Amino acid sequence: MSVMTATLPPAAAVRSVADIRRDFPILAREVHGRPLTYLDNTASSQKPIQVIEAMNRYYREMHANVHRGVHFLSETATAAYENARLRVARFINAPHPKQIIFTRNTTESLNLVAYSWGRAHLKPGDEVLITEMEHHSNIVPWQLVCEMTGATLRYVPITATGELDFEALPRLLTERTKVFAFTAMSNVLGTINPVAELVAQAHAVGAIAVVDGAQSVPHLATDVQALDVDFLAFSSHKMLGPTGIGVLYGRRSLLEAMPPFLGGGDMIREVKMSGSRWNELPYKFEAGTPAIAEAIGLAAAIEYLEGLGMDWVGAHERELTTYAWNRLHEVEGLRILGPEPARRGGLLAFVLGDIHPHDVAAILDQDGIAVRAGHHCAQPIHDHFGLVATTRASFYIYNTPEEIDRLVLGLYKAKALFDL
Amino acid sequence: MDDLYRENIIDHYRHPRNKGHLDHPDIRYHDVNPFCGDEITIELKLDGDRIVEAAFDGKGCAISQASASMLTEEVIGKTLDEVKAMSKDDILEMLGIPIGPVRMKCALLALKVLKAGVWGLEEWPE
């Protein structure tokens, strides 16, 4: 074995985090006279200059409305928009770019499935199974669609360590279950769920599997064919891309059989006063002028992540999460929700004694440290643990151990202020 | 920070004044701030239209709870009309700390609850 090639790292592993940070203009700014420590990545990530420039260049040089235009700019914009779809398809190993539907965000993607597939297929007696660790965006659409169709909504409970209760699963996932919708990674507990295994169990009872990938796709390599998911929803803005664009991947046979979600321009083949016929995939689900610049920004974000390699992204975050887990446990009175680092993604939600999370976050903010405080759009999890809110620190490619040290110092400051 | 969490705020949060419930209050009102789950109940005892006793109960962040604690001290001895005339600025002055737009709801929840009670509302009008 040649020494030269034995452990050749992926191209990006040779880039230092300091070097990566230089790509993110916002990380150079100060907040309240302190260097910004951005630990709110679960809510939204920052953007590298490559994404900002791609969108800027689009508006400076390429903008026109997409599809049907016969002039140069419209063709250029259409090519760039469709190229973005192709990039997304490759990133998650979708069989065909037609199966990539651009939406506004994960929430809209999940609503699309619930309304379009759900209303067409669910009836009284049917069950929709979700989990207690879902974000509101994977709860409320199902509540609404169950109300409309008469189907029953059930929840897989979570254990004390914040993992799905696999012992309860067989009695909940039955031949009555038509949809099993679950998150690949909890945005509060950090728990990484065994997606392929859960999908297989759903298929075994004839249910479709809908996966909320908002937290997993930005951080873990995703292969929709290997996972065998029926639907996967995720957002651009949590993976270095712009806000305003999200993705729904769907199994082709399911998408083709589904009625449209929104009606309007672009989604039709023919409109007569007596009725309309729908366009082919993916346009059937993309009514109206899409977020063109945002799609191009998302493509640039994917290119950036691929340059680093998703394996490197995952490894970097595991390292940071383990470090943060250990450092936070040094703080007396601090309790972290969810499983240990080996079974979680790069986020830690915690409570610090009886200090209200909004106070913790406000004190950290004064030192330029951005964390999130609240129920993180996941009230059922907080109810489960008897909490109103938690403080959450979350990491991405540009975070460093020094930033975690700053967080810990800030927590000691909060404790001192509150005599804890 | 030392601005937002000045000693008097922490003191009122850690050692709230008039916390608890009154026997047979003349006025009682409760409300929550759904944004962060802050909760405040205010109870008043009257002599004519003058407040002679005030108490609050609740849970939430230091700003919301300190604001309620201070407000109960502030209103004892005031008439109902004087309470009705109280404004957001009175609360900000009472707290004596800079409150940004995000925390404004925390700071003002106690006043909202107090005024709703004093105006005799059953429920805060949307």
Side-chain angles (χ1 to χ4, degrees):
Chain A
M1 194 193 290
S2 144
V3 175
M4 293 295 289
T5 56
T7 52
L8 198 63
V14 296
R15 284 190 75 189
S16 67
V17 173
D19 191 28
I20 290 170
R21 288 180 71 86
R22 278 191 283 276
D23 287 336
F24 291 79
I26 205 168
L27 297 180
R29 72 160 293 172
E30 293 193 338
V31 169
H32 304 311
R34 306 294 187 88
L36 168 65
T37 301
Y38 189 77
L39 301 177
D40 194 16
N41 294 287
T42 294
S44 196
S45 75
Q46 298 299 346
K47 321 301 171 199
I49 192 72
Q50 288 83 344
V51 168
I52 299 167
E53 288 297 325
M55 295 176 73
N56 195 335
R57 194 162 56 243
Y58 168 75
Y59 277 126
R60 283 170 173 272
E61 299 169 12
M62 294 188 267
H63 175 69
N65 210 336
V66 291
H67 306 139
R68 296 175 314 279
V70 290
H71 60 80
F72 175 81
L73 281 183
S74 179
E75 283 181 3
T76 310
T78 303
Y81 180 67
E82 292 305 327
N83 186 52
R85 194 189 310 276
L86 191 60
R87 247 195 195 282
V88 172
R90 283 192 193 140
F91 185 63
I92 59 169
N93 195 29
H96 198 285
K98 275 175 191 274
Q99 293 167 268
I100 302 299
I101 294 154
F102 285 130
T103 60
R104 275 190 305 143
N105 44 41
T106 305
T107 299
E108 187 178 296
S109 298
L110 292 168
N111 272 275
L112 194 163
V113 179
Y115 278 82
S116 176
W117 191 92
R119 277 200 296 193
H121 291 89
L122 294 173
K123 54 186 189 312
D126 289 346
E127 292 180 2
V128 173
L129 183 63
I130 62 175
T131 86
E132 221 180 304
M133 66 165 77
E134 298 309 309
H135 186 281
H136 294 167
S137 62
N138 203 23
I139 301 176
V140 183
W142 298 114
Q143 289 177 335
L144 289 169
V145 92
C146 282
E147 222 165 85
M148 289 173 201
T149 60
T152 305
L153 186 61
R154 298 200 179 281
Y155 295 80
V156 181
I158 51 179
T159 64
T161 55
E163 292 172 285
L164 289 181
D165 184 348
F166 292 103
E167 281 174 23
L169 194 56
R171 100 185 128 72
L172 290 163
L173 189 60
T174 67
E175 73 288 346
R176 286 187 302 279
T177 312
K178 297 296 175 256
V179 184
F180 184 18
F182 57 90
T183 183
M185 187 196 291
S186 160
N187 71 315
V188 176
L189 304 163
T191 315
I192 297 174
N193 286 321
V195 175
E197 195 186 313
L198 294 172
V199 170
Q201 292 196 39
H203 288 168
V205 298
I208 62 161
V210 180
V211 177
D212 173 358
Q215 297 306 335
S216 66
V217 174
H219 306 281
L220 305 169
T222 303
D223 181 334
V224 290
Q225 295 188 66
L227 297 171
D228 203 24
V229 298
D230 296 300
F231 292 100
L232 173 74
F234 57 100
S235 293
S236 149
H237 72 97
K238 294 186 200 289
M239 50 188 286
L240 311 180
T243 57
I245 190 160
V247 173
L248 176 68
Y249 158 81
R251 194 181 292 284
R252 194 162 166 179
S253 55
L254 292 173
L255 289 173
E256 276 172 349
M258 278 157 62
F261 176 40
L262 301 172
D266 241 13
M267 53 73 71
I268 43 80
R269 175 166 297 159
E270 187 178 50
V271 177
K272 304 279 190 195
M273 283 171 67
S274 55
S276 302
R277 291 199 303 136
W278 317 132
N279 204 341
E280 61 184 21
L281 291 178
Y283 311 110
K284 179 169 80 177
F285 293 107
E286 293 184 3
T289 298
I292 309 164
E294 287 74 10
I296 290 164
L298 169 59
I302 286 174
E303 189 175 349
Y304 191 93
L305 286 171
E306 286 173 339
L308 296 176
M310 290 309 287
D311 291 341
W312 181 86
V313 172
H316 174 70
E317 287 175 21
R318 270 191 300 281
E319 211 171 290
L320 278 178
T321 306
T322 305
Y323 182 75
W325 172 273
N326 292 333
R327 292 265 15 228
L328 288 181
H329 273 113
E330 291 168 18
V331 182
E332 214 178 305
L334 189 145
R335 172 182 158 218
I336 298 172
L337 270 64
E340 59 192 37
R343 290 174 291 145
R344 68 154 68 226
L347 67 99
L348 296 164
F350 58 86
V351 285
L352 181 58
D354 64 349
I355 311 179
H356 194 284
H358 281 117
D359 293 321
V360 175
I363 291 164
L364 294 172
D365 176 63
Q366 294 301 314
D367 282 341
I369 303 167
V371 297
R372 193 144 289 252
H375 54 56
H376 318 295
C377 294
Q379 273 183 339
I381 295 178
H382 288 82
D383 290 345
H384 177 93
F385 290 103
L387 300 166
V388 174
T390 51
T391 308
R392 181 182 69 193
S394 53
F395 319 119
Y396 211 10
I397 54 171
Y398 34 69
N399 288 121
T400 65
E402 293 72 36
E403 290 181 303
I404 291 160
D405 292 341
R406 263 181 242 159
L407 167 68
V408 171
L409 272 178
L411 294 175
Y412 278 117
K413 211 162 179 173
K415 283 185 65 165
L417 259 173
F418 279 79
D419 290 324
L420 188 70
Chain B
M1 138 179 44
D2 311 313
D3 277 353
L4 190 51
Y5 292 96
R6 221 170 260 169
E7 211 172 306
N8 65 329
I9 300 289
I10 301 288
D11 181 47
H12 273 270
Y13 177 59
R14 280 302 193 206
H15 312 285
R17 326 294 199 262
N18 306 312
K19 183 149 184 189
H21 293 274
L22 302 178
D23 288 334
H24 311 294
D26 298 302
I27 289 175
R28 180 172 194 277
Y29 198 80
H30 164 90
D31 206 354
V32 299
N33 170 2
F35 165 69
C36 47
D38 291 341
E39 253 179 69
I40 289 172
T41 302
I42 288 183
E43 294 174 349
L44 303 173
K45 226 171 169 115
L46 304 177
D47 178 8
D49 71 342
R50 198 170 288 279
I51 296 167
V52 288
E53 272 185 86
F56 87 99
D57 195 16
K59 54 185 183 182
C61 69
I63 309 293
S64 72
Q65 301 303 304
S67 173
S69 168
M70 288 178 177
L71 192 59
T72 53
E73 285 194 319
E74 193 82 9
V75 296
I76 294 171
K78 276 194 166 40
T79 64
L80 296 182
D81 281 344
E82 284 169 336
V83 170
K84 287 175 185 171
M86 286 180 81
S87 71
K88 166 182 159 186
D89 290 339
D90 295 322
I91 298 298
L92 297 183
E93 196 182 318
M94 176 189 87
L95 290 168
I97 53 172
I99 301 280
V102 176
R103 301 305 291 282
M104 197 59 84
K105 281 196 164 167
C106 310
L108 297 181
L109 179 61
L111 179 65
K112 180 182 168 186
V113 168
L114 174 71
K115 288 186 113 178
V118 165
W119 280 99
L121 294 181
E122 293 293 321
E123 222 175 292
W124 190 263
E126 286 307 321

